[in-house]
Amino acid sequence: MEIPQPLQAAGPIRPITCVEMHTAGEPTRIIWNGIPPMTGTLLEQRAQAKAQFDEFRRVLMLEPRGHYDMYGAILRPETELVSSGKAHIGVLFMHNEGFSTMCGHATIALGRFLVDVDENVFPRRKELKYDAVSRTTTLNLHVPCGVVEVTVPILECGKSDASRPVSFVSVPSFATAISLQIPLPEKYRWAELRGKTAVTADFAYGGAYYCMISAEELGFPSGLGEVKLQDMDHATKLLKAAVVTNPDLQYLTQDGRTAEEGFLYGIMITDTRLGHVSASEGTAAARAQLDVTSEETGLCFFANQQIDRSPTGSCVAARVALAYAKGSLPRGEKRIYNSLVTRAYRGLSGFVGSVFDDAGISGGDKQSVRVSVEGYAYYTGYHSFVVEKEDSLGVDGFSVRDIAL
């Protein structure tokens, strides 16, 4: 695939060149040219981006070039793990609120993109090895939470094969709480609770920390079959606040092996009652081929109440680790995870998750596992953005949802 050259603009206009993709409906804006200078380890680069170049994120994620639910990936060809040979390339992820530690849907998109470009974009492209048996290639992607192994199907011409799924193996993933009762102070209660003062939820890590709660437990007895986005947005926002402001619940976002503290990235509303879709919808054969034993549907609110169109790859890793800890998803079995979009539009495929192996950390928690997540990503276009210094609105980006007069 030919990547277009950036626009040659005179004066203060510096082009920012992007490739646009989507994974199960969730966008990934891959930025490969016009990136501000960042140095050091990947986490140091992430801190530098947050402290010095947040306007770069806002310009590309928010309006007028993006929207409230846009997602981006900044290529980082030089990191400490690239230098040591443990990774082929690094990446920083960004969204409407800041810079995340992991993103599964973007990783799937990046797998295809990095196979399709040349050394000018991906300096270590020639180091990738082709497996003639599986007709795939594998690359190690350095993300802020560690290294994920991405396997990409390849055509005879050497480009990615859009007809087969990309997969990645997660960083060690684990549950931090199962069936935990969360107290809700009065200011964090919503109308659908109908007098309840607490809810029960699960917590797990898959590169980022998530809270999983059923739609019924959240106060919506009709589940995700009757989606009330505004009400669910309000409820999950209050639930998240109730968790993060409670000092007794800080351990929910802490790695029990390393004591490293994280943050609650998202709330996943689940609905298991939707179960399998009917054979008439064309998925029975696909399930049989994949040896899939079950399906789940979810609605994820992450970052600043951003809605994920995809099944949320890092949360699939968290949910698989959680199901493994509960004993409901044994090793060797696969589960399809749907979003509202993949559930509604059967032309889109949900993510398939399964336990890949034990995390292999000496002396670590035996419930920590690495998870395989697979899905499909597609190209949607290219952009060469410019920012004029006289453009007071477009020089920073804005969100209509956050306007306060």
Side-chain angles (χ1 to χ4, degrees):
M1 183 187 65
E2 295 293 330
I3 301 297
Q5 295 300 310
L7 296 176
Q8 298 299 317
I13 302 176
R14 183 184 65 181
I16 304 170
T17 312
C18 312
V19 172
E20 310 287 320
M21 300 185 73
H22 85 88
T23 311
E26 178 71 2
T28 301
R29 176 164 287 168
I30 302 172
I31 303 99
W32 66 275
N33 190 59
I35 300 167
M38 290 177 277
T39 58
T41 67
L42 186 63
L43 290 181
E44 288 171 347
Q45 293 180 45
R46 179 172 177 262
Q48 190 176 3
K50 292 169 66 175
Q52 301 178 30
F53 303 116
D54 195 54
E55 75 280 358
F56 183 81
R57 175 191 65 82
R58 292 178 57 84
V59 159
L60 291 174
M61 295 296 97
L62 303 182
E63 298 180 55
R65 298 168 190 86
H67 54 80
Y68 198 78
D69 296 307
M70 178 54 71
Y71 202 93
I74 306 174
L75 296 184
R76 305 309 303 143
E78 296 297 331
T79 76
E80 74 278 18
L81 296 187
V82 173
S83 298
S84 68
K86 294 181 180 179
H88 293 102
I89 194 169
V91 64
L92 294 177
F93 300 120
M94 59 185 183
H95 44 68
N96 69 6
E97 186 180 43
F99 296 83
S100 51
T101 55
M102 175 56 191
C103 180
H105 90 271
T107 294
I108 291 170
L110 283 161
R112 286 199 63 199
F113 172 78
L114 291 170
V115 162
D116 290 340
V117 296
D118 60 22
E119 291 78 18
N120 292 322
V121 178
F122 181 13
R124 295 181 179 250
R125 171 65 180 84
K126 287 186 176 180
E127 296 180 10
L128 303 185
K129 304 299 182 183
Y130 176 69
D131 185 323
V133 176
S134 62
R135 294 177 294 130
T136 62
T137 191
T138 300
L139 63 95
N140 291 329
L141 184 65
H142 186 189
V143 300
C145 65
V147 175
V148 294
E149 184 180 289
V150 189
T151 299
V152 185
I154 304 296
L155 297 167
E156 289 185 7
C157 64
K159 301 299 184 182
S160 65
D161 183 354
S163 69
R164 292 186 286 154
V166 175
S167 65
F168 70 88
V169 178
S170 73
V171 297
S173 303
F174 48 87
T176 58
I178 296 175
S179 299
L180 178 71
Q181 190 171 71
I182 304 168
L184 299 172
E186 187 172 356
K187 64 179 178 179
Y188 296 131
R189 297 173 194 165
W190 52 95
E192 289 78 10
L193 288 171
R194 296 174 178 83
K196 290 171 58 178
T197 60
V199 292
T200 301
D202 300 316
F203 292 81
Y205 175 82
Y209 289 92
Y210 291 92
C211 167
M212 276 68 73
I213 185 169
S214 71
E216 298 94 320
E217 182 67 16
L218 196 65
F220 299 89
S222 298
L224 294 177
E226 181 184 349
V227 182
K228 299 180 179 179
L229 279 181
Q230 287 188 332
D231 295 336
M232 290 177 173
D233 180 0
H234 181 64
T236 55
K237 186 174 183 178
L238 290 175
L239 174 58
K240 188 175 183 179
V243 173
V244 301
T245 58
N246 187 336
D248 294 334
L249 300 180
Q250 289 183 355
Y251 74 94
L252 296 172
T253 54
Q254 185 177 67
D255 189 329
R257 303 154 307 164
T258 65
E260 180 180 347
E261 292 186 2
F263 57 93
L264 183 59
Y265 184 51
I267 306 288
M268 173 65 78
I269 306 174
T270 62
D271 190 340
T272 57
R273 296 184 306 175
L274 293 178
H276 291 298
V277 296
S278 66
S280 63
E281 292 181 77
T283 61
R287 283 202 308 272
Q289 184 178 6
L290 291 167
D291 294 324
V292 172
T293 58
S294 57
E295 293 188 28
E296 288 185 11
T297 299
L299 169 60
C300 185
F301 292 87
F302 70 97
N304 188 14
Q305 293 302 105
Q306 192 164 333
I307 296 176
D308 200 331
R309 276 68 173 161
S310 83
T312 312
S314 55
C315 193
V316 167
R319 291 161 78 184
V320 168
L322 176 67
Y324 181 71
K326 288 182 172 182
S328 62
L329 187 64
R331 186 177 306 181
E333 293 188 5
K334 297 180 178 181
R335 179 172 293 171
I336 293 179
Y337 292 88
N338 279 307
S339 65
L340 293 183
V341 175
T342 64
R343 179 76 192 184
Y345 298 94
R346 300 311 300 176
L348 291 175
S349 298
F351 292 171
V352 177
S354 60
V355 174
F356 182 78
D357 62 14
D358 291 327
I361 299 175
S362 178
D365 185 346
K366 292 182 179 179
Q367 295 297 321
S368 293
V369 293
R370 293 196 304 164
V371 175
S372 173
V373 181
E374 63 181 60
Y376 295 83
Y378 304 98
Y379 291 96
T380 59
Y382 309 93
H383 271 116
S384 189
F385 292 109
V386 295
V387 180
E388 294 185 288
K389 66 179 181 180
E390 295 84 2
D391 181 3
S392 59
L393 187 64
V395 76
D396 183 48
F398 69 93
S399 168
V400 170
R401 285 183 52 164
D402 294 334
I403 289 176
L405 301 178

